[in-house]
């Protein structure tokens, strides 16, 4: 066991406050009331799913005061998109907003974090990609996760890509942590089965990687073990989408996010990042696809993962790397191998001797 | 499973930041540096153990600027003691302190929380015994737990007794939560075996009671389950005081405190409170004593607890209620039965029909 937090985060910042419970989304109104200054607006970033399907029950938006912006979560956030959203807020709000609400999945919550930071710190999103570059607290920000697994509700980053230089890196900062989160398992009742599984497994896979890595510590282990246990309860049950299981997965997502702060991922996430960058595969389903090739690295996790896939009867895409060009394989390799810290955690300092180009291609072909 | 947090705390406040690691106590200096304003002093409340045995390694106090007050933790805090400590700080500090450090066990940390609140809110300790009576944030406060189990480092209360009216009740408030905690398992290396066990079991017993209660929710369950797992790892191992196990128990204490925020205790804590009030028994050893009488209420926990006592070869006092006067039994019963919420959680609304005076006496006689 390592003796200190080994992720460069010596001092882990918690989410300030959390509410939990079926129907707690209705409390959002009171939270906003308590932080509202005069007629300053609240800004809602809401996943576009709810534009097509109606707002979740219990959400009351005052359209005369507040600003609602739907977020297209088809693709993960880009720096230009974050800047444009900041501009839209500034042009529509007559005053500085009193609060930013991110209601959706990882993409929507990350956008909320990023815009909150930009509104008070000035500059553009790309100026803050890195570690501890944000200098002031952002606007009071509230997360309402509507799908469970990524842990964006509890982490200190907001992932985004700058298409100009290809950099995929968040604003890693204590100021990126939400002030308030509302965990209401009622809002995840309508998530489709496949997406529920893929996203939930982000928490499971992260903690599987950490538990098998060489950088470990007692705090990360404890949050990680509990996350894994909760995921097992959910995905080894008869009905993974039951009320109790949606509640458990919501807690697993929160705790998995807490685990991230104090641990490293391993081999799955770097390979999955390759799939994202080169083939545009979404992060969560990408992790599941990578698991096809993980038997030799995580034998127990591999068996457990695929038994849960089978039990729940969900689909994991297959063969997406079968017939790529040499150039594509090269790109996949390069965008995997740059993730040095997690690969060192998984394979040791000489990870390039294990994960050679040929080895990586054979893994991608298994997917 | 209950559908919302059911402890009256709808919105759970987290500790703002935590550090973890062997030797992290050395970081306290940097934390104080970053919050120090001009020549404002830091106030250290330190358990009197360290007065006799020397300060823990890594702790550097600047005696020219800062104020050190040793806390006699023989008895649990009283309101008058808190007021007197507040007065001592005010008379010794030329300026309002920049930070309050509580370095010790539950008593010392609770004193730090209470004095921090009093310094900014005015009035006396007894004015804030209750729920949400504190109106302003206290002085920036930092906990360095030197023994693991009570969870005082992560809870929103600071238990104290007002001898005038007998009220044992803390300042339950979001403002009572620490801003910073430093979890350094190095500092628990010198804790005596019996005390290490008794105090660690406070976390175990709390979570055992919650898990068997009728008020439950997914967040409290998750923190509680992980706390129990960690305690089992520690107390079912060959050497409960090893580095890894002290690290685990420190995390269990923190998570057990988080569990408290969203759950209720059961039958053990009310009976133990009786022992405290009537016989002056310390909270943690009191819980262990009560476990002698818990076979019919928590059969699995009973067996597990006593097998851990046996494995670790620790002492639990016996027979302390054997030869009491009728008046003493009466007092024990009354100071147990007033804890209506936990008793309802454990036994149902008609708990007085189960826990009659005769039944309670038979339980006390088993201890």
């Amino acid at each position: 066991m390592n003796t200190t937090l080994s992720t460069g985060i010596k001092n882990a910042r918690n989410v300030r406050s959390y509410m939990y419970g079926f129907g707690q989304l209705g409390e959002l109104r009171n939270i906003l009331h308590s932080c509202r200054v005069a007629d300053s607006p609240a800004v809602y970033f809401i996943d576009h799913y709810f534009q097509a399907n109606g707002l979740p029950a219990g959400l009351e938006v005052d359209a005369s005061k507040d600003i609602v912006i739907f977020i297209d979560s088809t693709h993960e956030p880009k720096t230009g998109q974050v800047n444009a959203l900041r501009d839209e807020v500034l042009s529509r709000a007559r005053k500085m907003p009193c609060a930013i609400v991110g209601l959706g999945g990882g993409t929507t919550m990350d956008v909320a974090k990023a815009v909150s930071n930009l509104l008070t710190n000035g500059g553009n999103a790309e100026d803050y990609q890195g570690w501890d570059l944000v200098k002031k607290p952002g606007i009071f920000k509230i997360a309402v996760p509507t799908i469970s697994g990524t842990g964006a509700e509890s982490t200190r980053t907001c992932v985004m890509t700058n298409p100009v230089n290809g950099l995929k890196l968040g604003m890693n900062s204590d100021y990126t942590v939400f002030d308030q989160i509302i965990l209401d398992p009622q809002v995840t009742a309508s998530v489709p089965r496949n997406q529920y599984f893929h996203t939930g497994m982000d928490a499971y896979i992260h903690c599987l990687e950490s538990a098998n890595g060489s950088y470990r510590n007692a705090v990360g282990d404890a949050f990680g073990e509990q996350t894994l246990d909760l995921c097992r309860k959910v995905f080894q049950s008869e009905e993974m989408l039951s009320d109790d299981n949606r509640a458990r997965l919501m807690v697993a997502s929160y705790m998995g996010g807490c685990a991230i702060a104090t641990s490293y991922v391993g081999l799955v996430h770097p390979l999955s990042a390759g799939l994202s960058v080169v083939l545009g595969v979404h992060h969560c389903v990408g992790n599941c696809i990578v698991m096809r090739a993980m038997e030799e690295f995580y034998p127990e996790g591999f068996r457990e993962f695929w038994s849960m896939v089978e039990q729940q009867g969900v689909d994991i895409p297959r063969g997406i790397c079968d017939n790529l060009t040499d150039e594509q394989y090269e790109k996949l390799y390069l965008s995997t191998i740059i993730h040095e810290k997690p690969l060192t955690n998984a394979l040791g300092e000489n990870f390039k001797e294990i994960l050679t180009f040929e080895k990586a291609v054979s893994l991608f072909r298994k997917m």
Side-chain angles (χ1 to χ4, degrees), chain A residues 296-308:
Chain A
E296 68 180 286
F297 299 101
Y298 304 110
E300 285 178 34
F302 174 87
R303 279 189 290 277
E304 188 170 69
F305 176 85
W306 289 104
S307 80
M308 293 190 280

Side-chain angles (χ1 to χ4, degrees), chain A residues 30-102:
Chain A
N30 295 329
I31 292 167
L32 290 175
H33 183 75
S34 70
C35 69
R36 204 181 286 272
V37 183
D39 58 346
S40 60
V43 176
Y44 292 80
F45 293 116
I46 300 180
D47 188 282
H48 65 160
Y49 168 87
F50 297 102
Q51 188 169 24
N53 297 277
L55 295 180
L59 180 65
E60 296 175 33
V61 176
D62 183 341
S64 71
K65 266 194 268 189
D66 297 334
I67 296 170
V68 173
I69 300 176
F70 290 99
I71 301 296
D72 183 346
S73 57
T74 313
H75 303 289
E76 290 168 358
K78 296 202 168 45
T79 48
Q81 177 194 11
V82 169
N83 296 333
L85 288 165
R86 182 262 332 264
D87 293 340
E88 181 175 351
V89 169
L90 288 175
S91 75
R92 288 175 62 182
R94 284 175 307 164
K95 293 188 143 194
M96 190 58 99
C98 63
I100 306 276
V101 180

